[in-house]
Amino acid sequence: MNPIDSNMLFQIANMKGTPKGAYNIRKDGQLDSRASSKNIEITSKTDKSGIDIRIADNTRGEECHIPVLITQSGLNEMVYNDFFIGENCDVLIVAGCGIHNDGCDTSQHDGVHTFYVGKNSHIRYTEKHYGEGEGTGARIMNPQTVVYLEEGAAIDMETVQIRGVDSTKRYTKIVVGKDGEAVITEKLLTHGTQLAESEMDIVLEGEDSTGRVISRSVAQDDSRQVFYPRMVGENKCFGHVQCDSIIMDSAKIKAIPAITCNHTDAQLIHEAAIGRIAGEQILKLMTLGMTEEEAEEKILNGFLQ
């Protein structure tokens, strides 16, 4: 594997070499390498581009890596990945996409991930996006994630986009069953003239279901961000949406959280805050010997942790 591929795999999936367990590495629109495990089977779709991941009942403590790399300028692809997760599982799924574009044409990856999570299973799902390269061609990623949680099932989902992606439109939908839980943590930094849009539908369908959305973002330069998280309570449930953003330079941020209660025992809360870095925070760090730029970077890194 060349240095560019190795660096992107580390950035998006924290991979150093071949991962243990099941994995599927896709590069420039083709299968690069794959391995299934005893409890996790990965197969190619026959009707369209993408893979099926089947995880057996009672699979616990295993990992599955499915990163995507694009290094060809001008490549545009649409991929469909479906996850069929049995009952009583506890697994980590690591996805993500890295685009290295040294050319003048747009490179774009659009992906639809659909999860069917069985009873009492707990899924930890991370998805990181990263862009690099010296070319003038755009790096575009448009991910969609749809999750169906059966009774007692839970997903802890973390999405991260830190620099390098010129445009992204993310859509997430989670339907939570009885006693289920969905937790989404979103971290985003945009700069230059980048555009990032994030739209969510969290449907608390089952009795005693729970949903939490934590979104943290930083917008620099002339970049633009739009957040539209929607939480719907269809039963006795609890939901909380929190959006916190730091705005800098000439950036623009719009946060539009929405909550809808369709049941008298649904309890939903939303919060949204947008503001600049407090001057006293920078001054305090500068008294410890940091430059203004170092102090600003320290604050931003802490905010996005």
Side-chain angles (χ1 to χ4, degrees):
M1 188 167 292
N2 64 52
I4 290 175
D5 294 348
S6 297
N7 176 63
M8 287 200 295
L9 285 174
F10 179 76
Q11 294 290 340
I12 65 176
N14 201 30
M15 285 174 53
K16 294 182 178 180
T18 303
K20 295 180 180 179
Y23 69 89
N24 187 97
I25 299 176
R26 180 183 179 90
K27 179 180 176 182
D28 293 331
Q30 303 293 329
L31 172 64
D32 179 82
S33 58
R34 172 187 297 166
S36 295
S37 66
K38 179 181 177 181
N39 296 313
I40 302 177
E41 180 186 31
I42 304 176
T43 57
S44 297
K45 290 186 176 295
T46 57
D47 58 338
K48 52 190 172 184
S49 181
I51 55 177
D52 291 329
I53 300 96
R54 289 180 167 82
I55 301 178
D57 292 346
N58 304 305
T59 300
R60 308 182 71 83
E62 293 196 31
E63 299 182 3
C64 179
H65 291 74
I66 55 165
V68 173
L69 305 178
I70 294 179
T71 61
Q72 291 181 5
S73 184
L75 180 66
N76 189 325
E77 66 174 1
M78 181 76 184
V79 178
Y80 299 85
N81 296 334
D82 291 339
F83 301 78
F84 304 92
I85 299 159
E87 298 182 0
N88 303 307
C89 295
D90 189 345
V91 296
L92 169 65
I93 298 172
V94 181
C97 179
I99 296 179
H100 181 98
N101 192 349
D102 280 333
C104 59
D105 297 318
T106 295
S107 295
Q108 180 170 336
H109 174 79
D110 296 348
V112 179
H113 288 185
T114 306
F115 292 78
Y116 304 90
V117 185
K119 291 182 179 179
N120 301 314
S121 285
H122 178 209
I123 304 303
R124 288 160 293 145
Y125 174 66
T126 68
E127 183 179 278
K128 296 183 179 181
H129 289 167
Y130 171 74
E132 64 177 26
E134 301 299 324
T136 58
R139 297 172 290 271
I140 298 176
M141 304 182 194
N142 297 317
Q144 296 183 42
T145 306
V146 181
V147 182
Y148 300 97
L149 297 175
E150 294 190 17
E151 181 177 346
I155 187 168
D156 191 341
M157 176 177 171
E158 182 183 53
T159 64
V160 180
Q161 181 176 306
I162 305 298
R163 298 189 181 278
V165 180
D166 295 294
S167 175
T168 186
K169 293 185 178 181
R170 178 186 295 276
Y171 176 70
T172 304
K173 178 180 180 180
I174 303 181
V175 181
V176 188
K178 175 179 169 60
D179 296 319
E181 181 180 48
V183 178
I184 303 175
T185 304
E186 184 176 63
K187 301 175 184 179
L188 173 68
L189 187 148
T190 56
H191 60 99
T193 59
Q194 294 172 351
L195 168 66
E197 299 180 11
S198 179
E199 187 176 0
M200 300 181 188
D201 286 305
I202 313 301
V203 182
L204 303 178
E205 190 172 83
E207 185 179 5
D208 292 320
S209 56
T210 303
R212 292 183 175 86
V213 175
I214 305 101
S215 176
R216 289 190 172 185
S217 74
V218 176
Q220 298 176 325
D221 304 322
D222 294 305
S223 64
R224 293 174 293 143
Q225 299 179 4
V226 180
F227 299 95
Y228 197 175
R230 298 179 291 265
M231 185 88 69
V232 180
E234 299 284 3
N235 212 317
K236 178 187 175 185
C237 62
F238 175 81
H240 185 201
V241 178
Q242 179 181 344
C243 303
D244 293 320
S245 300
I246 292 176
I247 188 168
M248 304 172 66
D249 308 312
S250 299
K252 294 179 174 61
I253 301 176
K254 181 184 293 186
I256 318 167
I259 53 176
T260 301
C261 288
N262 295 327
H263 193 282
T264 54
D265 290 324
Q267 182 182 359
L268 305 180
I269 303 167
H270 77 69
E271 306 172 66
I274 302 172
R276 61 186 298 176
I277 298 175
E280 59 268 23
Q281 292 179 295
I282 293 179
L283 287 174
K284 182 176 180 179
L285 290 176
M286 291 177 67
T287 62
L288 299 176
M290 293 186 185
T291 66
E292 184 175 354
E293 291 76 15
E294 290 171 339
E296 184 178 277
E297 189 71 17
K298 183 75 171 179
I299 293 168
L300 296 182
N301 287 339
F303 179 74
L304 291 172
Q305 288 296 318

